[in-house]
Amino acid sequence: MIDPATIEKILDAADIVDVIGEFVQLRRRGSNYIGLCPFHNEKTPSFTVSPTKQIFKCFGCGVAGNVVSFIKEHEKLSYQEALKFLAKKYGIPIQERELTQEEIDAKKITESLTIVNEFAHQYFIDILHKNPEGQSVGLSYLKERQIRDDIIEKFQLGYATSSFNGIVSTAKSKGYKEDFLIKLGLASKKNNKLFDKFRERVIFPIHSLSGKVVAFGGRVLKKDEKSAKYLNSPESELYTKGNHLYGLYFAKKTIVSKDKCYLVEGYTDVLGFAQSGIENVVASQGTALTKNQIRLINRFTKNLTVVYDGDAAGIKAAIRGVNLILEQGMNVKIVLLPEGEDPDSVSHKWSSSELIDYLNQNETDFIHFKINLLLKDSGNDPYKKAEMVNNIVDTILLIPDRITRTVYIADAAKQLKMDESVLYRALQQKFYKKRKSGFRKEKKIKPEAVTPQVPEFVSGTYAQSQEEELVRLLLKYGDKEFVYTTKDKDGNEINQKFQVGSFIISSIRSDSLLPEFKNIIYKQIFEDYANGKTDIKYFINHENDDIRKLVANLLSRETKVSKIFEKLGNYTLPEEKRLNELVIGVLVLYKRKILELYRDQIKSEIPKLEDNLELQNEKLIQLNRIIQIISDLTKKYNFTPI
Ligand SMILES: [Zn+2]
């Protein structure tokens, strides 16, 4: 963990415009900078960076936060990693604070697992090159498959012998714990005896993005029906299956420089392409791509070409897998290889330039590919043709960007020899239907979603909007002063100056309302503020993601927050000029809301007390008192009920 003083140094050094400017082209507009949001597709900039507040906010998709939030989101790093990223950029040496015992334990396990995996990695490599069985079986198999030495070395291939006691005995002699070997799937225990899991297999190490070996894939060499063709490491603290792509660590640089990524199925397909000089290639390891894997690729390029076997199963797989990729806004192309071939086989059959030519010439845009396929299938059957149009429109609907959708509709119309407007109307209909059914909600973040979700409360049952408004006034105008006007007994006006922050805090405290705060995030901000954390920077740079996001959102709101202020009077004046009515108005509203909730609760209790008239009477008196207080409150502040 980085110690607080270093965090402060990093935050002081990292200028948000400077940092974001490296990823987003920013233009000055007024006191802010604007640019195209890197987190969602847009044509007109709604991504705003404020150099004075040191925050950013996208008015299109709702992302917001400070400079650390940006790096965290954009580079897909943890909070600590994002800080280190910035420290590196600004040349600030990292001082780490001492870890808690819990953190030490968790770190120890991950570190130990990493060390054991590194040992296993080297062990498998050594066996392949130095052990007699490794050489005669493993290495000669790879040679048979025409895999070159430089490729074996680059991808750090290894071999596991037929022994049940290979890696187990070596690991034991080096003092590695049984538990870790089992956890990593390197060994298994039966009848109290530990034995090797990977046997007679070529080993493909799977690397994380930073090059750490997180798992292994083992391919059998014998055609033995008893053992699975592939054995993969189980999930562990180091490895989550759908979060890695085979080969990405070696491919990422080329993916960026070529702005394109080839997706193949298996380990040997990656090796084959790499051997033919196509280095921007990754494998999904046989299964369908997950969203996280697509996001991984999306970090390096938007252009993905999926290479499939040309048989019926391959074509089916192509159709199935692509929807998810389209949804992520990527440009997907398809290459079908000749029937009976796979990337591995063609890479050995064809010369490197033949393969590259084939890929370039046969690469088809996915939508075109699908239309061609369906056209072949439907022939002249009008019923089938209608079904096909539906199918195509459904696919185009998945594309998040509107302009791209329109382009595809035009292309599809041409290909289908149909009128463009017919397809466009079908698209529109489906679009609205989909939106109505709430389908789009799950993908898009709600634009002004300022309030963190508090699941235990049904919305509307507590004073959420007033809580939020109080917190906003506290953060935005806490250090400003306002004049509070009251009247004395004789009706003379008394003007008193107050600071917004201390006025709100003491007003809430005097009625013991802090425990009433239902939203834990607001409550924490309130408590921190009341305990002297009145510097807005403290909240902008808070280590809690939700607080950073909330604060950036609240500070980015310019005027008119909710309809309540239209009722409160002169809302055309800038907020700073009417702090008096804002502060008093929200406090009164908040207190009233709490009282009303209390009133409603008692109201609902009274009918249930038919057989306890004494208690019922007591409640009736309470109820009357509350109604009186509400009425007094309204009168005192000359407040018109809404
Ligand atoms: Zn956005």
Side-chain angles (χ1 to χ4, degrees), residues 193-260:
K193 243 191 120 185
L194 207 62
F195 63 90
D196 285 25
K197 280 285 276 185
F198 289 98
R199 293 187 310 275
E200 281 191 281
R201 287 172 189 271
V202 169
I203 303 290
F204 300 87
I206 299 165
H207 295 78
S208 72
L209 264 188
S210 58
K212 207 160 74 175
V213 175
V214 291
F216 300 99
R219 187 193 195 286
V220 283
L221 304 186
K222 272 198 299 189
K223 278 201 177 126
D224 180 2
E225 292 195 348
K226 267 185 278 172
S227 42
K229 190 173 170 194
Y230 284 101
L231 175 69
N232 289 309
S233 300
E235 298 206 339
S236 68
E237 276 89 341
L238 300 181
Y239 178 62
T240 313
K241 206 172 174 237
N243 288 353
H244 293 91
L245 280 162
Y246 181 69
L248 185 57
Y249 169 64
F250 301 107
K252 58 182 182 181
K253 262 202 186 132
T254 323
I255 293 174
V256 172
S257 65
K258 305 247 175 198
D259 194 15
K260 181 189 198 129

Side-chain angles (χ1 to χ4, degrees), residues 2 6 19 33 39 47 148 158 174 215-216 221 234 240 274 306 315 343 370 377 440 478 539-540 575 592 606 617 622:
I2 304 169
T6 312
V19 171
Y33 286 82
F39 303 108
F47 183 82
R148 284 194 322 250
K174 296 198 175 228
F216 300 99
L221 304 186
T240 313
V306 193
I315 295 170
K370 193 166 176 178
D377 203 40
R440 297 190 72 79
F539 295 101
I540 289 177
E575 283 193 341
R592 225 176 67 137
I606 288 171
N617 210 25
Q622 269 183 16

